[in-house]
Amino acid sequence: MAVVYATLIIKGKKVIGDVPAVIRDQVKEILIDMELPELAGE
């Protein structure tokens, strides 16, 4: 599910604040690993 949210953030459909708190850290890690740390900020 974290990958789905990361993809939606990359596409501009969601922001990190829309991600459930339970998986938010995982989504942030994925975005940072994809060299998109600016999308991982709140």
Side-chain angles (χ1 to χ4, degrees):
M1 198 66 190
V3 174
V4 173
Y5 272 103
T7 302
L8 291 171
I9 291 170
I10 292 166
K11 289 184 174 191
K13 304 288 183 184
K14 298 278 184 187
V15 294
I16 197 69
D18 297 330
V19 179
V22 176
I23 61 168
R24 192 171 296 154
D25 287 339
Q26 289 176 308
V27 174
K28 286 181 181 184
E29 284 184 38
I30 292 168
L31 293 170
I32 291 168
D33 288 345
M34 294 182 76
E35 298 182 1
L36 297 166
E38 64 277 5
L39 296 178
E42 290 191 280

mmCIF file of all heavy atoms in Angstrom:
data_model
loop_
_atom_site.group_PDB
_atom_site.id
_atom_site.type_symbol
_atom_site.label_atom_id
_atom_site.label_comp_id
_atom_site.label_asym_id
_atom_site.label_seq_id
_atom_site.Cartn_x
_atom_site.Cartn_y
_atom_site.Cartn_z
ATOM 1 N N MET A 1 0.813 -1.198 0.000
ATOM 2 C CA MET A 1 0.000 0.000 0.000
ATOM 3 C C MET A 1 0.858 1.264 0.000
ATOM 4 O O MET A 1 0.469 2.269 -0.585
ATOM 5 C CB MET A 1 -0.919 -0.033 1.226
ATOM 6 C CG MET A 1 -2.080 0.889 1.131
ATOM 7 S SD MET A 1 -3.174 0.348 -0.180
ATOM 8 C CE MET A 1 -4.242 1.708 -0.268
ATOM 9 N N ALA A 2 2.018 1.192 0.624
ATOM 10 C CA ALA A 2 2.911 2.349 0.669
ATOM 11 C C ALA A 2 3.350 2.748 -0.736
ATOM 12 O O ALA A 2 3.437 3.940 -1.045
ATOM 13 C CB ALA A 2 4.117 2.054 1.559
ATOM 14 N N VAL A 3 3.595 1.757 -1.584
ATOM 15 C CA VAL A 3 4.022 2.040 -2.964
ATOM 16 C C VAL A 3 2.897 2.745 -3.723
ATOM 17 O O VAL A 3 3.151 3.652 -4.515
ATOM 18 C CB VAL A 3 4.448 0.742 -3.681
ATOM 19 C CG1 VAL A 3 4.737 1.000 -5.143
ATOM 20 C CG2 VAL A 3 5.654 0.128 -2.995
ATOM 21 N N VAL A 4 1.667 2.333 -3.471
ATOM 22 C CA VAL A 4 0.517 2.968 -4.124
ATOM 23 C C VAL A 4 0.442 4.443 -3.737
ATOM 24 O O VAL A 4 0.285 5.310 -4.610
ATOM 25 C CB VAL A 4 -0.792 2.240 -3.762
ATOM 26 C CG1 VAL A 4 -1.997 2.994 -4.301
ATOM 27 C CG2 VAL A 4 -0.775 0.814 -4.275
ATOM 28 N N TYR A 5 0.567 4.728 -2.459
ATOM 29 C CA TYR A 5 0.538 6.120 -2.013
ATOM 30 C C TYR A 5 1.715 6.906 -2.585
ATOM 31 O O TYR A 5 1.556 8.056 -3.004
ATOM 32 C CB TYR A 5 0.520 6.217 -0.490
ATOM 33 C CG TYR A 5 -0.872 6.187 0.087
ATOM 34 C CD1 TYR A 5 -1.376 5.040 0.673
ATOM 35 C CD2 TYR A 5 -1.688 7.313 0.048
ATOM 36 C CE1 TYR A 5 -2.662 5.004 1.204
ATOM 37 C CE2 TYR A 5 -2.976 7.294 0.573
ATOM 38 C CZ TYR A 5 -3.452 6.134 1.146
ATOM 39 O OH TYR A 5 -4.723 6.114 1.662
ATOM 40 N N ALA A 6 2.893 6.322 -2.607
ATOM 41 C CA ALA A 6 4.060 7.007 -3.168
ATOM 42 C C ALA A 6 3.813 7.346 -4.634
ATOM 43 O O ALA A 6 4.128 8.456 -5.087
ATOM 44 C CB ALA A 6 5.311 6.145 -3.012
ATOM 45 N N THR A 7 3.231 6.414 -5.365
ATOM 46 C CA THR A 7 2.929 6.651 -6.779
ATOM 47 C C THR A 7 1.921 7.789 -6.939
ATOM 48 O O THR A 7 2.084 8.656 -7.810
ATOM 49 C CB THR A 7 2.379 5.363 -7.425
ATOM 50 O OG1 THR A 7 3.344 4.327 -7.259
ATOM 51 C CG2 THR A 7 2.092 5.565 -8.902
ATOM 52 N N LEU A 8 0.894 7.799 -6.111
ATOM 53 C CA LEU A 8 -0.103 8.862 -6.180
ATOM 54 C C LEU A 8 0.505 10.222 -5.846
ATOM 55 O O LEU A 8 0.149 11.234 -6.454
ATOM 56 C CB LEU A 8 -1.269 8.557 -5.237
ATOM 57 C CG LEU A 8 -2.158 7.383 -5.654
ATOM 58 C CD1 LEU A 8 -3.139 7.043 -4.532
ATOM 59 C CD2 LEU A 8 -2.894 7.683 -6.942
ATOM 60 N N ILE A 9 1.437 10.247 -4.915
ATOM 61 C CA ILE A 9 2.121 11.504 -4.563
ATOM 62 C C ILE A 9 2.965 11.976 -5.736
ATOM 63 O O ILE A 9 2.950 13.158 -6.100
ATOM 64 C CB ILE A 9 2.969 11.323 -3.289
ATOM 65 C CG1 ILE A 9 2.044 11.144 -2.082
ATOM 66 C CG2 ILE A 9 3.909 12.512 -3.086
ATOM 67 C CD1 ILE A 9 2.750 10.710 -0.809
ATOM 68 N N ILE A 10 3.692 11.060 -6.361
ATOM 69 C CA ILE A 10 4.530 11.415 -7.508
ATOM 70 C C ILE A 10 3.676 11.972 -8.643
ATOM 71 O O ILE A 10 4.061 12.928 -9.314
ATOM 72 C CB ILE A 10 5.353 10.194 -7.966
ATOM 73 C CG1 ILE A 10 6.396 9.843 -6.899
ATOM 74 C CG2 ILE A 10 6.020 10.456 -9.313
ATOM 75 C CD1 ILE A 10 7.036 8.494 -7.070
ATOM 76 N N LYS A 11 2.498 11.387 -8.844
ATOM 77 C CA LYS A 11 1.606 11.840 -9.918
ATOM 78 C C LYS A 11 0.856 13.119 -9.560
ATOM 79 O O LYS A 11 0.149 13.676 -10.386
ATOM 80 C CB LYS A 11 0.602 10.741 -10.257
ATOM 81 C CG LYS A 11 1.239 9.572 -10.962
ATOM 82 C CD LYS A 11 0.207 8.552 -11.369
ATOM 83 C CE LYS A 11 0.855 7.468 -12.204
ATOM 84 N NZ LYS A 11 -0.159 6.602 -12.821
ATOM 85 N N GLY A 12 0.983 13.577 -8.305
ATOM 86 C CA GLY A 12 0.341 14.812 -7.890
ATOM 87 C C GLY A 12 -1.100 14.648 -7.444
ATOM 88 O O GLY A 12 -1.806 15.631 -7.262
ATOM 89 N N LYS A 13 -1.537 13.410 -7.266
ATOM 90 C CA LYS A 13 -2.922 13.146 -6.853
ATOM 91 C C LYS A 13 -3.106 13.230 -5.344
ATOM 92 O O LYS A 13 -4.212 13.465 -4.874
ATOM 93 C CB LYS A 13 -3.365 11.755 -7.325
ATOM 94 C CG LYS A 13 -3.233 11.535 -8.806
ATOM 95 C CD LYS A 13 -4.261 12.310 -9.581
ATOM 96 C CE LYS A 13 -4.159 12.004 -11.055
ATOM 97 N NZ LYS A 13 -5.072 12.802 -11.853
ATOM 98 N N LYS A 14 -2.037 13.013 -4.591
ATOM 99 C CA LYS A 14 -2.068 13.052 -3.127
ATOM 100 C C LYS A 14 -0.838 13.809 -2.635
ATOM 101 O O LYS A 14 0.106 14.033 -3.383
ATOM 102 C CB LYS A 14 -2.029 11.636 -2.533
ATOM 103 C CG LYS A 14 -3.193 10.744 -2.888
ATOM 104 C CD LYS A 14 -4.376 11.018 -1.999
ATOM 105 C CE LYS A 14 -5.505 10.047 -2.309
ATOM 106 N NZ LYS A 14 -6.711 10.377 -1.607
ATOM 107 N N VAL A 15 -0.877 14.196 -1.355
ATOM 108 C CA VAL A 15 0.297 14.765 -0.693
ATOM 109 C C VAL A 15 0.594 13.901 0.525
ATOM 110 O O VAL A 15 -0.253 13.117 0.960
ATOM 111 C CB VAL A 15 0.078 16.241 -0.280
ATOM 112 C CG1 VAL A 15 -0.078 17.121 -1.501
ATOM 113 C CG2 VAL A 15 -1.107 16.379 0.640
ATOM 114 N N ILE A 16 1.773 14.053 1.084
ATOM 115 C CA ILE A 16 2.197 13.193 2.192
ATOM 116 C C ILE A 16 1.227 13.290 3.376
ATOM 117 O O ILE A 16 1.027 12.309 4.097
ATOM 118 C CB ILE A 16 3.656 13.500 2.610
ATOM 119 C CG1 ILE A 16 4.243 12.375 3.459
ATOM 120 C CG2 ILE A 16 3.762 14.831 3.318
ATOM 121 C CD1 ILE A 16 4.480 11.086 2.728
ATOM 122 N N GLY A 17 0.573 14.404 3.542
ATOM 123 C CA GLY A 17 -0.388 14.560 4.618
ATOM 124 C C GLY A 17 -1.644 13.714 4.447
ATOM 125 O O GLY A 17 -2.361 13.469 5.404
ATOM 126 N N ASP A 18 -1.903 13.265 3.213
ATOM 127 C CA ASP A 18 -3.061 12.408 2.940
ATOM 128 C C ASP A 18 -2.819 10.954 3.309
ATOM 129 O O ASP A 18 -3.754 10.160 3.372
ATOM 130 C CB ASP A 18 -3.429 12.460 1.450
ATOM 131 C CG ASP A 18 -3.862 13.843 1.008
ATOM 132 O OD1 ASP A 18 -4.410 14.592 1.841
ATOM 133 O OD2 ASP A 18 -3.658 14.168 -0.176
ATOM 134 N N VAL A 19 -1.558 10.603 3.533
ATOM 135 C CA VAL A 19 -1.191 9.207 3.805
ATOM 136 C C VAL A 19 -1.523 8.868 5.261
ATOM 137 O O VAL A 19 -1.208 9.637 6.166
ATOM 138 C CB VAL A 19 0.321 8.991 3.550
ATOM 139 C CG1 VAL A 19 0.726 7.559 3.847
ATOM 140 C CG2 VAL A 19 0.668 9.354 2.110
ATOM 141 N N PRO A 20 -2.153 7.713 5.488
ATOM 142 C CA PRO A 20 -2.432 7.308 6.878
ATOM 143 C C PRO A 20 -1.141 7.250 7.697
ATOM 144 O O PRO A 20 -0.097 6.805 7.197
ATOM 145 C CB PRO A 20 -3.036 5.912 6.727
ATOM 146 C CG PRO A 20 -3.580 5.878 5.344
ATOM 147 C CD PRO A 20 -2.665 6.745 4.523
ATOM 148 N N ALA A 21 -1.211 7.706 8.927
ATOM 149 C CA ALA A 21 -0.027 7.784 9.789
ATOM 150 C C ALA A 21 0.687 6.449 9.937
ATOM 151 O O ALA A 21 1.910 6.408 10.079
ATOM 152 C CB ALA A 21 -0.425 8.321 11.163
ATOM 153 N N VAL A 22 -0.060 5.370 9.857
ATOM 154 C CA VAL A 22 0.521 4.034 10.050
ATOM 155 C C VAL A 22 1.600 3.720 9.008
ATOM 156 O O VAL A 22 2.589 3.062 9.326
ATOM 157 C CB VAL A 22 -0.596 2.959 9.975
ATOM 158 C CG1 VAL A 22 -0.036 1.560 10.060
ATOM 159 C CG2 VAL A 22 -1.622 3.196 11.062
ATOM 160 N N ILE A 23 1.423 4.208 7.774
ATOM 161 C CA ILE A 23 2.396 3.889 6.716
ATOM 162 C C ILE A 23 3.146 5.111 6.203
ATOM 163 O O ILE A 23 3.926 5.008 5.263
ATOM 164 C CB ILE A 23 1.720 3.155 5.527
ATOM 165 C CG1 ILE A 23 0.639 4.021 4.893
ATOM 166 C CG2 ILE A 23 1.203 1.803 5.956
ATOM 167 C CD1 ILE A 23 0.143 3.482 3.556
ATOM 168 N N ARG A 24 2.934 6.255 6.822
ATOM 169 C CA ARG A 24 3.556 7.489 6.336
ATOM 170 C C ARG A 24 5.081 7.393 6.288
ATOM 171 O O ARG A 24 5.702 7.832 5.320
ATOM 172 C CB ARG A 24 3.120 8.666 7.201
ATOM 173 C CG ARG A 24 3.488 10.004 6.585
ATOM 174 C CD ARG A 24 2.874 11.160 7.321
ATOM 175 N NE ARG A 24 1.418 11.079 7.205
ATOM 176 C CZ ARG A 24 0.583 11.604 8.085
ATOM 177 N NH1 ARG A 24 1.032 12.237 9.139
ATOM 178 N NH2 ARG A 24 -0.722 11.494 7.904
ATOM 179 N N ASP A 25 5.704 6.810 7.307
ATOM 180 C CA ASP A 25 7.169 6.690 7.313
ATOM 181 C C ASP A 25 7.655 5.815 6.164
ATOM 182 O O ASP A 25 8.674 6.113 5.541
ATOM 183 C CB ASP A 25 7.672 6.134 8.645
ATOM 184 C CG ASP A 25 7.574 7.160 9.769
ATOM 185 O OD1 ASP A 25 7.498 8.380 9.474
ATOM 186 O OD2 ASP A 25 7.591 6.749 10.937
ATOM 187 N N GLN A 26 6.916 4.755 5.854
ATOM 188 C CA GLN A 26 7.287 3.881 4.738
ATOM 189 C C GLN A 26 7.211 4.645 3.420
ATOM 190 O O GLN A 26 8.082 4.507 2.564
ATOM 191 C CB GLN A 26 6.362 2.672 4.662
ATOM 192 C CG GLN A 26 6.562 1.669 5.762
ATOM 193 C CD GLN A 26 5.542 0.549 5.663
ATOM 194 O OE1 GLN A 26 4.344 0.814 5.586
ATOM 195 N NE2 GLN A 26 6.012 -0.680 5.656
ATOM 196 N N VAL A 27 6.169 5.429 3.260
ATOM 197 C CA VAL A 27 6.005 6.212 2.031
ATOM 198 C C VAL A 27 7.130 7.229 1.903
ATOM 199 O O VAL A 27 7.707 7.405 0.824
ATOM 200 C CB VAL A 27 4.622 6.902 1.998
ATOM 201 C CG1 VAL A 27 4.505 7.830 0.800
ATOM 202 C CG2 VAL A 27 3.509 5.866 1.982
ATOM 203 N N LYS A 28 7.479 7.883 3.013
ATOM 204 C CA LYS A 28 8.590 8.839 2.992
ATOM 205 C C LYS A 28 9.887 8.155 2.569
ATOM 206 O O LYS A 28 10.647 8.695 1.761
ATOM 207 C CB LYS A 28 8.765 9.491 4.366
ATOM 208 C CG LYS A 28 7.704 10.515 4.684
ATOM 209 C CD LYS A 28 7.950 11.140 6.049
ATOM 210 C CE LYS A 28 6.893 12.158 6.395
ATOM 211 N NZ LYS A 28 7.167 12.840 7.659
ATOM 212 N N GLU A 29 10.144 6.964 3.099
ATOM 213 C CA GLU A 29 11.354 6.222 2.725
ATOM 214 C C GLU A 29 11.371 5.906 1.240
ATOM 215 O O GLU A 29 12.410 6.033 0.589
ATOM 216 C CB GLU A 29 11.444 4.917 3.510
ATOM 217 C CG GLU A 29 11.883 5.088 4.938
ATOM 218 C CD GLU A 29 12.040 3.752 5.650
ATOM 219 O OE1 GLU A 29 12.515 2.788 5.019
ATOM 220 O OE2 GLU A 29 11.668 3.680 6.833
ATOM 221 N N ILE A 30 10.240 5.501 0.696
ATOM 222 C CA ILE A 30 10.158 5.191 -0.734
ATOM 223 C C ILE A 30 10.465 6.432 -1.557
ATOM 224 O O ILE A 30 11.250 6.376 -2.514
ATOM 225 C CB ILE A 30 8.766 4.630 -1.092
ATOM 226 C CG1 ILE A 30 8.585 3.248 -0.464
ATOM 227 C CG2 ILE A 30 8.572 4.568 -2.611
ATOM 228 C CD1 ILE A 30 7.163 2.727 -0.506
ATOM 229 N N LEU A 31 9.879 7.554 -1.202
ATOM 230 C CA LEU A 31 10.111 8.791 -1.948
ATOM 231 C C LEU A 31 11.569 9.226 -1.862
ATOM 232 O O LEU A 31 12.148 9.663 -2.862
ATOM 233 C CB LEU A 31 9.180 9.897 -1.439
ATOM 234 C CG LEU A 31 7.695 9.669 -1.724
ATOM 235 C CD1 LEU A 31 6.857 10.687 -0.961
ATOM 236 C CD2 LEU A 31 7.403 9.722 -3.205
ATOM 237 N N ILE A 32 12.167 9.081 -0.703
ATOM 238 C CA ILE A 32 13.585 9.434 -0.544
ATOM 239 C C ILE A 32 14.463 8.485 -1.359
ATOM 240 O O ILE A 32 15.391 8.919 -2.036
ATOM 241 C CB ILE A 32 13.974 9.445 0.943
ATOM 242 C CG1 ILE A 32 13.281 10.624 1.634
ATOM 243 C CG2 ILE A 32 15.488 9.511 1.122
ATOM 244 C CD1 ILE A 32 13.339 10.596 3.147
ATOM 245 N N ASP A 33 14.140 7.197 -1.338
ATOM 246 C CA ASP A 33 14.896 6.215 -2.124
ATOM 247 C C ASP A 33 14.789 6.491 -3.626
ATOM 248 O O ASP A 33 15.704 6.177 -4.383
ATOM 249 C CB ASP A 33 14.415 4.792 -1.836
ATOM 250 C CG ASP A 33 14.824 4.294 -0.463
ATOM 251 O OD1 ASP A 33 15.712 4.925 0.167
ATOM 252 O OD2 ASP A 33 14.262 3.278 -0.009
ATOM 253 N N MET A 34 13.670 7.080 -4.036
ATOM 254 C CA MET A 34 13.471 7.412 -5.449
ATOM 255 C C MET A 34 14.048 8.783 -5.788
ATOM 256 O O MET A 34 13.799 9.322 -6.863
ATOM 257 C CB MET A 34 11.989 7.361 -5.788
ATOM 258 C CG MET A 34 11.409 5.963 -5.689
ATOM 259 S SD MET A 34 9.677 5.887 -6.128
ATOM 260 C CE MET A 34 9.808 5.994 -7.904
ATOM 261 N N GLU A 35 14.819 9.345 -4.853
ATOM 262 C CA GLU A 35 15.462 10.641 -5.003
ATOM 263 C C GLU A 35 14.452 11.771 -5.204
ATOM 264 O O GLU A 35 14.639 12.679 -5.998
ATOM 265 C CB GLU A 35 16.489 10.599 -6.139
ATOM 266 C CG GLU A 35 17.609 9.603 -5.871
ATOM 267 C CD GLU A 35 18.670 9.567 -6.943
ATOM 268 O OE1 GLU A 35 18.569 10.344 -7.921
ATOM 269 O OE2 GLU A 35 19.587 8.757 -6.805
ATOM 270 N N LEU A 36 13.348 11.674 -4.427
ATOM 271 C CA LEU A 36 12.321 12.713 -4.442
ATOM 272 C C LEU A 36 12.026 13.191 -3.023
ATOM 273 O O LEU A 36 10.862 13.218 -2.598
ATOM 274 C CB LEU A 36 11.041 12.165 -5.088
ATOM 275 C CG LEU A 36 11.152 11.755 -6.559
ATOM 276 C CD1 LEU A 36 9.962 10.942 -6.976
ATOM 277 C CD2 LEU A 36 11.330 12.968 -7.430
ATOM 278 N N PRO A 37 13.064 13.581 -2.287
ATOM 279 C CA PRO A 37 12.838 13.959 -0.883
ATOM 280 C C PRO A 37 11.926 15.178 -0.738
ATOM 281 O O PRO A 37 11.276 15.329 0.293
ATOM 282 C CB PRO A 37 14.240 14.248 -0.358
ATOM 283 C CG PRO A 37 15.017 14.622 -1.578
ATOM 284 C CD PRO A 37 14.441 13.783 -2.685
ATOM 285 N N GLU A 38 11.851 16.014 -1.761
ATOM 286 C CA GLU A 38 10.991 17.199 -1.666
ATOM 287 C C GLU A 38 9.513 16.806 -1.565
ATOM 288 O O GLU A 38 8.713 17.551 -1.020
ATOM 289 C CB GLU A 38 11.211 18.134 -2.869
ATOM 290 C CG GLU A 38 10.837 17.550 -4.221
ATOM 291 C CD GLU A 38 11.892 16.673 -4.869
ATOM 292 O OE1 GLU A 38 12.927 16.396 -4.256
ATOM 293 O OE2 GLU A 38 11.653 16.273 -6.018
ATOM 294 N N LEU A 39 9.163 15.628 -2.056
ATOM 295 C CA LEU A 39 7.783 15.148 -1.959
ATOM 296 C C LEU A 39 7.505 14.494 -0.611
ATOM 297 O O LEU A 39 6.358 14.273 -0.255
ATOM 298 C CB LEU A 39 7.477 14.158 -3.090
ATOM 299 C CG LEU A 39 7.539 14.726 -4.509
ATOM 300 C CD1 LEU A 39 7.263 13.624 -5.519
ATOM 301 C CD2 LEU A 39 6.583 15.883 -4.690
ATOM 302 N N ALA A 40 8.555 14.165 0.140
ATOM 303 C CA ALA A 40 8.401 13.486 1.423
ATOM 304 C C ALA A 40 8.166 14.479 2.563
ATOM 305 O O ALA A 40 7.792 14.077 3.652
ATOM 306 C CB ALA A 40 9.622 12.627 1.725
ATOM 307 N N GLY A 41 8.369 15.763 2.295
ATOM 308 C CA GLY A 41 8.155 16.771 3.327
ATOM 309 C C GLY A 41 6.692 17.063 3.528
ATOM 310 O O GLY A 41 5.864 16.774 2.684
ATOM 311 N N GLU A 42 6.370 17.640 4.666
ATOM 312 C CA GLU A 42 4.963 17.959 4.934
ATOM 313 C C GLU A 42 4.682 19.425 4.725
ATOM 314 O O GLU A 42 5.456 20.268 4.698
ATOM 315 C CB GLU A 42 4.589 17.545 6.349
ATOM 316 C CG GLU A 42 4.551 16.051 6.472
ATOM 317 C CD GLU A 42 3.928 15.626 7.785
ATOM 318 O OE1 GLU A 42 4.628 15.662 8.795
ATOM 319 O OE2 GLU A 42 2.738 15.288 7.776
#
